[in-house]
């Protein structure tokens, strides 16, 4: 899962650009589009979701497979190397073909995978690379969905999450090489004792030959070596270490090398590491032993035309906006984000709650909001979220931790958003997943994000987790517009969670849809004025509950949703910024509040 890197022993070739593109209208196997140059004249940008790039409703609403294709040349100098195509994301399922040969399939739309090319194409050779991508969601995928086949034979996708089901190759694609003997994985855990930073590392390599060894060095930001060790696992102590702090990032570089018996360099790979600790104690969330208060956002990867396509300009601008407003954190709601985003957060000291794509495991939300599907069914049942779904969910946790474990910015894993944790079956479903997450990463706390139906009286799983993360919409979905009732009930609930569980509470969502430019003397819902009053009400409550250690508003920016609902007009409008990142009136209010919070911390 190591991200491809250009180093003295590894090469990296970008395959981003404009690829040939086609919908697969029949079955993928029957059409076998990988066996020839794609017909038709469509071309699609990579990285980008394909849905909003074209004007055709057939493409926008397509359910099933699409194909991306381009020609690729293997560099001549790679005769001693192994080489792979890395797909950073194929949403939600990808198949890779090198010329006529099927190489690999990957399920899960937001984590990377590789297709090995070495045996199939010689160095200097050219090949036809076809990536088939499928966007279908069923009851055994994460996230889940239901596919209806209409009388016309057309498929219609329903899903239980409130963001558009963007699909395609939304992140970069690479061709990269590694030497035959190479570093396969690096795992780093850090600790702090007094002023000494402790770096525990574990380097996995391919099988090494006689006399071949692993060496590790740690360099500081001035490129000065501050620690060295030999062997595939061990501990490096850094006296007077500079800690990675929220708002004050400091990154060391851990470089893992494989050397031959005569000392020649066989492979070298490095990761950025931040030395810091994370701990939950009582109702406090501690980073480096100091109480931390989360300010910031639930976000989305979402922008016009690109959909979920990673765009470095949007990324940098979003972090600028977060800095401007005093946000020290965000949650990767509701799926792992591009690795560039995690790297950026590492470098800039932004704290991240990292989430799996397990969103929409809840038929009650569905029956309320999404056309009533599943009204009388129960979520945790053989017909809906079953053992196969749980196996897919476990895979999504494994892949998330494998990809992101070394990021200092990540302080909490969120393994699901708003599952039906008030329904029988929830505990049996979640117990093994929590145990799995802890076994994969014993160093970070684990959370799930709680939905309003599962309150402190009837939730069945909250004690399994370290932190209480709540999504609440008092004053919006509940007691719409009545902020007096909302305030009382919101406070009662927060105090109930505190009394019952004695854990830190983070508000991971609260918000109100707001149409930019709509003003009201009467605080009418949907107006910018109401959004301000709504947040002021919530913040009065937050300030009265000491166990509350974080407020991440919903959402950073307006974002696209499925169009098939009467309560969404061109998307979800709960953004603090519009979809093109212009501030609503609330932005100045949050800036004042959070800037003060950061000063007080
Ligand atoms: C939620 C969901 C989020 C929705 C939000 C809303 O609870 O977690 O995905 O977008 O509510 O605005 O309804």
């Amino acid at each position: 899962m190591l991200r491809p890197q250009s180093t003295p022993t590894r090469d990296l070739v970008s395959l981003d650009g404009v690829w040939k593109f086609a919908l697969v209208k029949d079955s993928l196997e029957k059409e076998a589009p990988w066996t020839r140059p794609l017909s038709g004249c469509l071309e699609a940008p990579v990285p980008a979701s394909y849905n909003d790039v074209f004007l055709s409703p057939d493409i926008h609403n397509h359910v099933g497979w699409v194909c991306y294709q381009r020609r690729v040349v293997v560099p001549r100098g790679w005769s001693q190397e192994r080489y792979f195509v890395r797909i950073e994301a194929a949403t939600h399922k990808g198949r890779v073909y090198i010329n006529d040969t099927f190489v690999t399939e990957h399920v899960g739309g937001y984590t990377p995978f590789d297709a090995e090319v070495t045996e199939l194409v010689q160095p200097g050779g050219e090949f036809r690379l076809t990536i088939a991508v499928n966007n279908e969601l069923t009851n055994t995928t994460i996230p889940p969905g239901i596919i209806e086949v209409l009388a016309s034979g057309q498929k219609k996708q329903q899903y239980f999450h409130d963001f558009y089901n963007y699909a395609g190759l939304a992140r970069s694609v690479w061709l990269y090489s590694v030497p035959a003997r190479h570093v396969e994985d690096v795992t780093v855990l850090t600790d702090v004792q007094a002023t000494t930073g402790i770096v525990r590392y574990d380097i996995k390599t391919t099988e090494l030959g006689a006399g071949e060894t692993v060496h590790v060095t740690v360099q500081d930001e001035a490129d000065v070596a501050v620690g060295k060790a030999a062997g595939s696992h061990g501990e490096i102590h850094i006296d007077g270490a500079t800690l990675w702090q929220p708002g004050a990032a400091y990154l060391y570089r851990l470089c893992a090398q494989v050397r031959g018996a005569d000392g020649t360099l066989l492979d070298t790979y490095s990761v950025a590491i931040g030395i810091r600790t994370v701990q939950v104690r009582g109702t406090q969330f501690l980073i480096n032993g100091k109480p931390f208060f989360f300010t910031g956002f639930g976000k989305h990867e979402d922008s016009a035309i690109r959909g979920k396509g990673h765009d470095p300009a949007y990324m940098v601008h979003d972090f600028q906006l977060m800095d401007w407003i005093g946000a020290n954190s965000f949650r990767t709601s509701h799926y792992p984000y591009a690795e560039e985003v995690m790297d950026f957060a590492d470098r800039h000291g932004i704290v991240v709650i990292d989430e799996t794509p397990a969103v929409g495991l809840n038929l009650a939300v569905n029956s309320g909001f999404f056309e009533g599907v599943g009204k009388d069914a129960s979520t945790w049942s053989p017909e809906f979220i079953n053992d196969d779904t749980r196996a897919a969910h476990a895979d999504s946790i494994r892949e998330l931790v494998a990809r992101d474990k070394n990021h200092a910015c990540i302080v909490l894993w969120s393994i699901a958003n708003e599952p039906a944790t008030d329904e029988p079956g929830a505990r049996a479903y979640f117990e093994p997943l929590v145990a799995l997450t802890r076994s994969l990463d014993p160093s970070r706390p684990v959370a799930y994000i709680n939905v309003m139906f599962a309150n402190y009286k009837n939730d069945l799983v909250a004690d399994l987790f370290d932190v209480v993360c709540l999504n609440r919409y008092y004053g919006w979905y509940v007691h719409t517009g009545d902020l007096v009732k909302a305030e009382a009930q919101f406070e009662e609930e927060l105090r109930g969670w505190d009394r019952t569980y004695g854990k830190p509470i983070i508000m991971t969502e609260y918000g109100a849809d707001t149409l930019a430019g709509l003003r009201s003397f009467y605080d009418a819902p949907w107006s910018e004025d109401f959004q301000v009053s709504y947040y002021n009400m919530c913040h009065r409550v937050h300030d009265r509950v000491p166990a509350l250690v974080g407020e991440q508003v919903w959402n950073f920016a307006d974002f696209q949703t499925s169009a098939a609902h009467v309560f969404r007009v061109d998307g979800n409008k709960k953004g603090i910024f519009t979809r093109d990142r212009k501030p609503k009136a609330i932005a100045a209010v949050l800036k004042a509040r959070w800037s003060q919070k950061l000063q007080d911390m």
Side-chain angles (χ1 to χ4, degrees):
M1 199 58 114
L2 282 185
R3 188 139 175 246
Q5 218 172 62
S6 167
T7 79
T9 58
R10 297 166 174 241
D11 289 321
L12 187 57
V13 177
S14 170
L15 301 182
D16 290 354
V18 178
W19 294 40
K20 292 187 103 182
F21 179 83
L23 296 188
V24 177
K25 299 229 169 84
D26 195 354
S27 100
L28 182 66
E29 285 72 23
K30 259 201 237 158
E31 285 187 29
W34 60 89
T35 56
R36 56 192 175 274
L38 280 188
S39 55
C41 58
L42 292 179
E43 297 187 283
V46 175
S49 307
Y50 61 77
N51 309 76
D52 293 354
V53 169
F54 304 97
L55 306 186
S56 148
D58 285 351
I59 300 176
H60 182 75
N61 300 323
H62 180 69
V63 180
W65 291 98
V66 300
C67 270
Y68 289 78
Q69 195 179 72
R70 62 165 285 163
R71 302 202 66 82
V72 178
V73 176
V74 178
R76 265 197 310 187
W78 285 6
S79 57
Q80 303 301 309
E81 317 301 309
R82 284 174 63 185
Y83 34 96
F84 302 81
V85 172
R86 161 68 54 107
I87 295 97
E88 289 191 352
T91 315
H92 297 281
K93 176 157 73 177
R95 284 190 192 159
V96 182
Y97 304 83
I98 309 289
N99 295 324
D100 288 353
T101 309
F102 165 74
V103 184
T104 195
E105 174 177 289
H106 178 263
V107 178
Y110 306 95
T111 37
F113 62 103
D114 281 334
E116 183 155 12
V117 186
T118 320
E119 299 298 321
L120 299 167
V121 188
Q122 296 291 313
E126 197 184 27
F127 65 94
R128 189 175 58 246
L129 171 62
T130 309
I131 304 178
V133 185
N134 183 291
N135 65 352
E136 289 170 86
L137 297 173
T138 70
N139 71 309
T140 60
T141 59
I142 294 293
I146 291 176
I147 293 172
E148 202 185 325
V149 181
L150 306 177
S152 62
Q154 239 195 337
K155 287 178 185 170
K156 188 174 156 198
Q157 176 75 66
Q158 288 187 40
Y159 41 94
F160 314 119
H161 50 268
D162 182 36
F163 56 94
Y164 190 82
N165 187 33
Y166 281 116
L169 298 176
R171 299 180 190 160
S172 290
V173 181
W174 306 92
L175 178 71
Y176 74 98
S177 72
V178 295
R181 302 266 205 274
H182 64 265
V183 174
E184 282 188 322
D185 197 14
V186 177
T187 307
V188 176
L189 291 179
T190 67
D191 204 352
V192 180
Q193 273 169 15
T195 56
T196 303
I198 298 167
V199 177
R200 299 195 178 94
Y201 70 87
D202 190 12
I203 313 294
K204 204 171 146 231
T205 61
T206 48
E207 207 176 313
L208 298 186
E212 292 172 351
T213 47
V214 173
H215 299 262
V216 172
T217 55
V218 176
Q219 291 185 340
D220 66 13
E221 285 192 351
D223 290 342
V224 175
V226 292
K228 273 191 184 13
S232 57
H233 53 268
E235 212 170 277
I236 293 175
H237 290 212
I238 302 169
D239 292 332
T242 306
L243 301 188
W244 187 96
Q245 307 266 19
Y250 190 93
L251 294 175
Y252 292 88
R253 245 159 67 94
L254 181 141
C255 177
Q257 299 195 330
V258 182
R259 297 217 195 117
D262 59 357
T264 50
L265 182 66
L266 300 180
D267 189 24
T268 177
Y269 187 92
S270 63
V271 294
I273 56 165
I275 298 174
R276 54 111 187 89
T277 61
V278 176
Q279 208 190 337
V280 169
R281 194 173 60 204
T283 56
Q284 291 184 318
F285 195 99
L286 305 174
I287 300 183
N288 298 327
K290 282 205 309 233
F292 180 70
F293 189 94
F294 297 74
T295 62
F297 300 97
K299 280 189 100 256
H300 264 301
E301 290 187 314
D302 176 90
S303 63
I305 303 169
R306 309 158 185 76
K308 296 205 172 304
H310 174 70
D311 180 320
Y314 266 91
M315 176 182 75
V316 172
H317 190 64
D318 283 4
F319 276 95
Q320 285 289 308
L321 293 173
M322 285 196 270
D323 185 52
W324 172 83
I325 206 170
N328 61 13
S329 70
F330 67 92
R331 173 169 61 120
T332 70
S333 39
H334 296 303
Y335 38 82
Y337 289 2
E339 287 178 79
E340 289 90 332
V341 177
M342 300 293 105
D343 289 344
F344 199 96
D346 273 347
R347 291 199 299 276
H348 295 270
I350 298 294
V351 168
V352 175
I353 301 175
D354 204 11
E355 186 156 285
T356 70
V359 53
L361 283 66
N362 197 326
L363 284 177
V365 175
N366 182 47
S367 64
F369 293 156
F370 297 95
E371 298 181 6
V373 172
K375 211 167 209 112
D376 304 314
S378 60
T379 301
W380 318 104
S381 59
E383 297 73 38
F384 192 50
I385 304 299
N386 59 28
D387 289 350
D388 293 338
T389 328
R390 186 168 60 194
H393 195 160
D395 283 344
S396 76
I397 294 171
R398 280 188 203 97
E399 292 196 0
L400 177 69
V401 176
R403 195 196 74 161
D404 285 356
K405 62 191 169 188
N406 294 326
H407 287 287
C409 65
I410 297 165
V411 301
L412 181 62
W413 301 114
S414 158
I415 65 168
N417 182 70
E418 299 198 339
T421 52
D422 55 329
E423 287 185 35
R427 199 170 175 89
Y429 181 89
F430 274 104
E431 251 175 341
L433 295 180
V434 178
L436 171 69
T437 314
R438 295 194 192 285
S439 74
L440 294 168
D441 178 16
S443 78
R444 290 182 183 85
V446 182
Y448 78 103
I449 310 297
N450 170 285
V451 68
M452 64 176 173
F453 306 118
N455 58 43
Y456 65 91
K457 294 179 194 145
N458 64 354
D459 181 273
L460 300 170
V461 305
D463 61 301
L464 301 173
F465 295 85
D466 302 302
V467 181
V468 171
C469 291
L470 302 178
N471 294 353
R472 291 296 182 274
Y473 290 91
Y474 290 109
W476 186 250
Y477 292 125
V478 178
H479 305 314
T480 312
D482 183 344
L483 296 181
V484 174
K485 259 194 200 158
E487 183 163 348
Q489 207 171 324
F490 182 31
E491 180 165 356
E492 189 285 323
E493 195 188 349
L494 281 188
R495 290 193 187 283
W497 280 99
D498 186 19
R499 254 190 343 265
T500 315
Y501 290 99
K503 298 185 186 212
I505 301 172
I506 302 173
M507 291 309 302
T508 36
E509 283 183 29
Y510 59 115
D513 283 276
T514 303
L515 195 61
L518 181 68
R519 305 304 305 261
S520 162
F521 284 115
Y522 319 107
D523 270 1
W526 287 93
S527 68
E528 292 196 34
D529 307 84
F530 179 77
Q531 195 182 27
V532 168
S533 301
Y534 166 89
Y535 275 111
N536 285 338
M537 176 281 287
C538 293
H539 293 153
R540 284 196 296 275
V541 176
H542 292 186
D543 291 344
R544 294 197 290 262
V545 180
L548 193 133
V549 299
E551 48 192 43
Q552 293 187 331
V553 300
W554 190 256
N555 187 283
F556 173 75
D558 294 346
F559 57 91
Q560 198 49 272
T561 62
S562 159
H565 307 297
V566 289
F567 57 96
R568 293 278 178 264
V569 184
D570 193 30
N572 186 308
K573 301 289 187 213
K574 294 192 187 70
I576 302 308
F577 301 97
T578 58
R579 202 180 189 206
D580 61 354
R581 277 57 172 174
K582 299 288 187 294
K584 299 182 190 169
I586 184 60
V589 176
L590 290 175
K591 179 176 166 62
R593 175 176 169 83
W594 288 347
S595 305
Q596 190 59 49
K597 284 249 175 227
L598 298 190
Q599 265 181 28
D600 296 347
M601 233 189 278

